[in-house]
Amino acid sequence: MTTRFQELATQGKPIVPVIALPTLECALPLADTLSSCGFKVLEITLRTDCALDAIKLLVESRPELVIGAGTVKNRQQLEQTLDAGAQFIVSPGTDAAMIQQAQERNVAVVPGVMTPSEIMVAENLGLDTVKLFPAALAGGTDFIRAMAAVFPAIKFFPTGGVTEDDVNAYLALPNVICAGGTWLSPAGLLERGDWNRIHEIAQRC
Ligand code: 3PG
């Protein structure tokens, strides 16, 4: 069965740019640059002050894109991101109460895991997709491969230390639904508004 997040995440390329926007003004030019290269699913992290406004702006003005909220760590942030219109929720960790709240609000949620115990919490709450975070430190492709026999119904969305050089190794695994990271929108290029350079990076993926 393909669940809601899996349907959302596989629109366009199976790579989700994780975006920490320095200013609201960056939101539309960045989204348009990434979208023109086939990236239709964007995760806006709550790590910067303009994140909620950016989610709202993108949801309202780019309906062809799927806009999710990242780095959601508590129930209050979850409510704020839903008010802003976020279409999926990504968290760095596994919080049962937050997962249940997302389920009650009927929004796709992907909790962060780096141990089998956390995967069990997510699976026992009915989820079938988890974010491996930070993927590189948690064991990368070896960890995901090792989980396949024990959690055959679980798909992984690795982020954290995933790069242009190793993203295809993740995507080659049958239990990886998509992968993500900030390498598609590096802070320095965002701050300079260097959309041409971001376009080049995005084209290579
Ligand atoms: C995330 O929020 O998923 C990660 O912080 C992205 O990690 P990266 O910056 O190593 O890509």
Side-chain angles (χ1 to χ4, degrees):
M1 187 180 93
T2 305
T3 55
R4 186 108 151 271
F5 176 75
Q6 294 181 2
E7 275 169 27
L8 293 175
T10 47
Q11 293 182 30
K13 296 187 183 185
I15 297 177
V16 179
V18 176
I19 300 168
L21 282 169
T23 63
L24 187 59
E25 289 65 42
C26 290
L28 291 177
L30 175 66
D32 292 342
T33 302
L34 294 170
S35 167
S36 73
C37 299
F39 296 94
K40 301 297 179 194
V41 184
L42 308 180
E43 177 186 324
I44 309 297
T45 81
L46 299 193
R47 295 202 284 265
T48 59
D49 292 343
C50 65
L52 290 171
D53 289 337
I55 290 169
K56 193 167 189 301
L57 174 68
L58 289 167
V59 168
E60 285 172 0
S61 54
R62 297 294 183 270
E64 70 279 16
L65 300 181
V66 178
I67 305 298
T71 321
V72 180
K73 295 187 289 188
N74 56 53
R75 292 164 59 94
Q76 188 193 358
Q77 287 179 330
L78 177 57
E79 286 303 321
Q80 289 170 336
T81 58
L82 292 183
D83 287 347
Q87 289 155 287
F88 64 92
I89 306 295
V90 182
S91 178
T94 299
D95 180 279
M98 219 178 81
I99 293 172
Q100 285 166 327
Q101 182 191 9
Q103 290 171 326
E104 281 158 21
R105 300 292 306 269
N106 201 24
V107 63
V109 60
V110 186
V113 303
M114 63 183 299
T115 66
S117 300
E118 291 157 326
I119 301 171
M120 283 167 57
V121 171
E123 187 170 51
N124 291 335
L125 286 168
L127 299 187
D128 65 3
T129 309
V130 293
K131 154 173 157 137
L132 179 64
F133 177 78
L137 286 175
T141 52
D142 287 342
F143 179 90
I144 295 173
R145 209 177 279 113
M147 291 300 108
V150 188
F151 298 105
I154 293 287
K155 299 279 189 209
F156 289 86
F157 166 23
T159 78
V162 178
T163 67
E164 183 181 337
D165 295 329
D166 62 11
V167 65
N168 285 328
Y170 284 100
L171 293 175
L173 298 174
N175 55 345
V176 167
I177 186 79
C178 59
T182 56
W183 85 92
L184 284 151
S185 51
L189 298 184
L190 277 182
E191 272 151 25
R192 291 204 299 278
D194 193 342
W195 314 124
N196 288 338
R197 183 85 187 87
I198 289 176
H199 188 267
E200 271 171 36
I201 297 170
Q203 283 280 43
R204 285 204 299 267
C205 287

